[in-house]
Amino acid sequence: MRSTALPLLLAAMLGCAGCGLRPMYAGGGSGQVATSLSAVQVAAIPEKNGWLMRNALVDRLGGEPSAAQYRLDVELDDDLSGLGIRGDSAVTRERRTLRARYQLVDLKSGLVVLDATAGSDAGIDVVSSEYATVAAENSAQERLTTVVADQIVSRLGLFMSHPRR
């Protein structure tokens, strides 16, 4: 069994060598993707969700750029709806959904070079303590913000990894 595993492993490695795959973040902090992402300025986003999202994006993009080449405009849609309803019409479960439409604008030309969406949702148990329910809603809001920010930055990285869009 061992004698057949080594040749198969070598064949697989040789097959991958010519497939054209390359790491997105090749070169680390000085690579093409990292330097392009660090040149993205995140525009202000209104309300608490916007503040959370902007901070998460700025953190993931490497901070505020000194010389921005792009501006990221984000519009958020946050929805909280009741799912589980008891016989007395009391909600027992909620669903929080966060969707983001974002546009990457080239500051030199003013053109939108990327227009996309990202989103996620979370379930929340509604308990007898109103404080606990509000805390769970806020926690879900913070979690969803980080998930959606990760999706946006991943998509931006993929966009930046191609030589010319």
Side-chain angles (χ1 to χ4, degrees):
M1 185 163 161
R2 271 193 110 112
S3 62
T4 60
L6 185 59
L8 288 175
L9 180 63
L10 289 174
M13 288 173 45
L14 288 174
C16 285
C19 69
L21 291 177
R22 58 188 166 94
M24 184 186 318
Y25 293 103
S30 60
Q32 174 191 350
V33 173
T35 55
S36 296
L37 288 177
S38 67
V40 175
Q41 166 192 358
V42 182
I45 310 168
E47 299 182 13
K48 179 183 176 185
N49 262 355
W51 179 82
L52 290 169
M53 179 64 71
R54 185 176 186 286
N55 284 346
L57 289 168
V58 168
D59 287 347
R60 284 156 179 75
L61 293 170
E64 296 284 351
S66 55
Q69 296 175 356
Y70 301 96
R71 183 184 71 240
L72 182 64
D73 296 326
V74 181
E75 292 177 19
L76 296 178
D77 179 25
D78 184 21
D79 183 50
L80 186 63
S81 56
L83 288 179
I85 301 181
R86 294 190 318 218
D88 63 353
S89 298
V91 174
T92 60
R93 186 125 174 106
E94 293 175 333
R95 177 180 177 179
R96 182 162 220 149
T97 305
L98 182 63
R99 302 278 178 255
R101 177 171 185 230
Y102 56 97
Q103 296 179 323
L104 188 65
V105 179
D106 185 327
L107 292 177
K108 285 184 184 173
S109 66
L111 295 174
V112 174
V113 294
L114 177 66
D115 188 349
T117 59
S120 189
D121 61 0
I124 302 164
D125 287 328
V126 178
V127 295
S128 60
S129 167
E130 190 173 329
Y131 175 79
T133 301
V134 170
E137 290 171 354
N138 287 335
S139 178
Q141 180 182 37
E142 292 169 8
R143 267 192 332 272
L144 289 173
T145 300
T146 60
V147 168
V148 173
D150 286 341
Q151 290 175 8
I152 292 172
V153 172
S154 293
R155 179 63 178 93
L156 291 176
L158 182 62
F159 177 78
M160 300 291 187
S161 70
H162 291 85
R164 253 314 89 181
R165 298 104 193 145

